[in-house]
């Protein structure tokens, strides 16, 4: 082989090696970044009324907060529902808008910054859903725990400047009467007072504007909204029933915190209940009613969108049936 042929072979080999290397490099896929979840809102029709569920975020509860069940019983129930237990018992924090056509009502408001960065998305999700905060006319608070009330304001400024608040008198007095703390066990007084400070801060701009409306047991209706006593979780806890074109939806508040444990075993209380026995009795009574009558249920702590129905085949254990997605 002469020098020319040797050079040609060497050149061909080098070219082949280069092409192989280039093809190998081109075959390596570029990394694809993971995407964030879409905005948390869901529209649901009830007759001519539109209900919009708003997600504040996902929370995780320590299993020990659920009372009356052994650890094995909790594990078995959670396993049956394929519930991820790595971080605790998963719950949502939801709020709801009601568009009647001429008014925009809101039930609860989320936690804002009262519990950390994993919550506090309702204000932005409301805007993402197509509404504006200044369109909200009335806000109905099932109770005054911070994960329901903190979202109404931010740093002393009302998030919903044109809205009036509706709060049960019993609930308002329990948290804001300075004598209440004296009746609470000493080991719980610090936590109670911390909660009171969060409530006061949230209410402050509405109090200043005289937009806090405290209702009594003698005034149990507001337009198309009926106030439905559901005491136990807190002393003045209320649910709200909406009637529209022959259909009903009930915004149940915190009569339930888990779509797994408290549906299989509704006698299970949670640490947040001020009166656990009364809370259990309320849950049993209301579950029986809703399973029988079939109303649409809107729940702030069931998996987003927190809309669905309650089913029971024996009147002892229950099942949460989420709404079926509609576009």
């Amino acid at each position: 082989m002469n020098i020319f042929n040797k050079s040609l072979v060497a050149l061909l080999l080098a070219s082949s090696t280069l092409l192989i290397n280039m093809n190998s490099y081109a075959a390596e896929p570029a990394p694809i970044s993971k995407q964030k979840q879409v905005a948390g809102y869901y529209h649901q029709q009830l007759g001519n009324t539109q209900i919009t569920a708003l997600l504040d975020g996902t929370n995780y509860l320590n299993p020990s907060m659920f009372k009356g069940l052994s650890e094995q019983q909790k594990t078995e129930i959670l396993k049956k529902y394929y519930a991820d237990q790595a971080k605790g018992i998963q719950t949502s924090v939801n709020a709801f808008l009601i568009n009647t056509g001429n008014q925009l009502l809101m039930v609860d408001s989320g936690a804002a910054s009262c519990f950390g960065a994993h919550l506090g998305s309702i204000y932005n999700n409301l805007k993402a859903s197509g509404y504006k905060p200044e369109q909200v006319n009335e806000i109905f608070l099932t109770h005054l725990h911070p994960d329901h009330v903190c979202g109404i304001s931010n740093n002393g400024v009302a998030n919903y400047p044109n809205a009036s608040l509706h709060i049960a008198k019993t609930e308002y007095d329990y948290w804001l009467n300075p004598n209440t703390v004296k009746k609470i066990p000493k080991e719980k007084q610090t936590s109670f007072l911390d909660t009171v400070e969060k409530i006061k801060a949230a209410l402050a701009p509405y109090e200043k504007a005289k937009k806090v409306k405290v209702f009594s047991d003698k005034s149990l209706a507001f337009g198309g909204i009926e106030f439905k006593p559901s005491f136990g979780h807190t002393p003045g806890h209320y649910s709200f029933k909406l009637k529209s074109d022959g259909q009903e939806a009930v915004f149940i508040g915190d009569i339930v915190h888990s779509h797994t444990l408290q549906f299989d075993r509704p006698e299970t209380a949670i640490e947040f209940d001020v009166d656990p026995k009364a809370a259990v009795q309320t849950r049993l009574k209301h579950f029986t009613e809703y399973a029988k009558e079939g109303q649409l249920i809107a729940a702030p702590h069931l998996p987003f969108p927190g809309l669905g129905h309650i089913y029971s085949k024996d009147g002892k254990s229950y099942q949460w049936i989420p709404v079926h997605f509609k576009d």
Side-chain angles (χ1 to χ4, degrees):
M1 184 180 293
N2 58 36
I3 295 175
F4 175 78
N5 288 338
K6 288 182 178 179
S7 298
L8 180 61
V9 170
L11 180 61
L12 290 173
L13 288 172
S15 298
S16 298
T17 302
L18 179 61
L19 287 172
I20 292 171
N21 289 338
M22 288 177 66
N23 288 336
S24 297
Y25 179 78
E28 293 181 4
I32 301 173
S33 60
K34 294 180 180 178
Q35 302 302 310
K36 292 183 178 180
Q37 186 59 276
V38 297
Y41 65 87
Y42 180 78
H43 300 304
Q44 174 79 16
Q45 284 299 127
L46 185 79
N48 292 323
T49 298
Q50 185 185 61
I51 297 172
T52 300
L54 302 171
L55 177 65
D56 203 42
T58 302
N59 202 21
Y60 296 91
L61 303 177
N62 191 313
S64 66
M65 292 180 174
F66 291 88
K67 308 299 181 182
L69 292 175
S70 68
E71 293 305 311
Q72 182 178 353
Q73 289 173 318
K74 294 174 187 177
T75 299
E76 288 175 354
I77 294 172
L78 293 168
K79 184 177 180 181
K80 182 178 74 172
Y81 287 94
Y82 291 87
D84 184 1
Q85 304 174 51
K87 297 180 181 179
I89 296 177
Q90 180 177 328
T91 62
S92 274
V93 177
N94 311 316
F96 303 92
L97 290 176
I98 303 167
N99 182 352
T100 68
N102 51 36
Q103 281 192 311
L104 189 61
L105 315 177
M106 190 172 186
V107 181
D108 291 326
S109 69
S113 60
C114 281
F115 287 103
H118 63 296
L119 300 176
S121 297
I122 281 176
Y123 186 78
N124 288 333
N125 282 331
L126 181 148
K127 292 188 289 185
S129 74
Y131 293 108
K132 299 177 181 178
E134 56 268 25
Q135 290 179 294
V136 178
N137 306 112
E138 314 286 341
I139 300 174
F140 298 87
L141 297 171
T142 57
H143 61 299
L144 292 180
H145 275 159
D147 57 326
H148 296 257
V149 70
C150 280
I152 61 175
S153 63
N154 181 31
N155 293 324
V157 178
N159 281 337
Y160 308 99
N162 298 318
S164 295
L165 308 181
H166 297 266
I167 307 167
K169 185 178 188 303
T170 306
E171 185 74 1
Y172 188 90
D173 290 346
Y174 175 76
W175 294 103
L176 299 176
N177 187 326
N179 293 321
T180 302
V181 69
K182 301 174 184 177
K183 304 173 185 178
I184 293 175
K186 288 186 178 181
E187 66 272 15
K188 295 184 178 181
Q189 288 182 1
T190 300
S191 176
F192 176 85
L193 291 173
D194 179 61
T195 298
V196 169
E197 288 307 308
K198 291 177 181 177
I199 294 169
K200 286 181 177 179
L203 295 180
Y206 298 88
E207 297 273 21
K208 184 177 181 180
K210 301 186 184 304
K211 290 187 175 182
V212 177
K213 299 181 180 180
V214 178
F215 64 84
S216 69
D217 291 346
K218 295 180 181 179
S219 58
L220 297 178
F222 178 90
I225 298 285
E226 294 181 8
F227 304 156
K228 187 177 177 63
S230 47
F231 309 138
H233 180 62
T234 61
H237 186 286
Y238 268 77
S239 302
F240 301 105
K241 180 188 289 186
L242 169 69
K243 294 184 178 181
S244 178
D245 305 303
Q247 300 180 55
E248 290 184 358
V250 184
F251 301 82
I252 62 173
D254 282 12
I255 70 169
V256 61
H257 288 79
S258 171
H259 73 290
T260 55
L261 299 181
Q262 290 180 308
F263 276 84
D264 272 36
R265 299 291 292 270
E267 69 278 8
T268 303
I270 192 169
E271 189 173 296
F272 306 126
D273 293 335
V274 174
D275 185 340
K277 290 183 179 179
V280 168
Q281 290 305 311
T282 290
R283 180 163 45 258
L284 291 171
K285 176 183 176 182
H286 288 217
F287 272 19
T288 298
E289 175 186 337
Y290 303 145
K292 180 180 179 181
E293 297 184 6
Q295 300 102 322
L296 177 70
I297 301 299
H301 293 307
L302 298 186
F304 183 77
L307 297 168
H309 295 84
I310 295 175
Y311 169 79
S312 177
K313 66 177 182 179
D314 57 10
K316 295 179 181 179
S317 63
Y318 297 83
Q319 187 176 354
W320 174 243
I321 311 294
V323 291
H324 301 291
F325 178 85
K326 295 179 182 179
D327 58 16

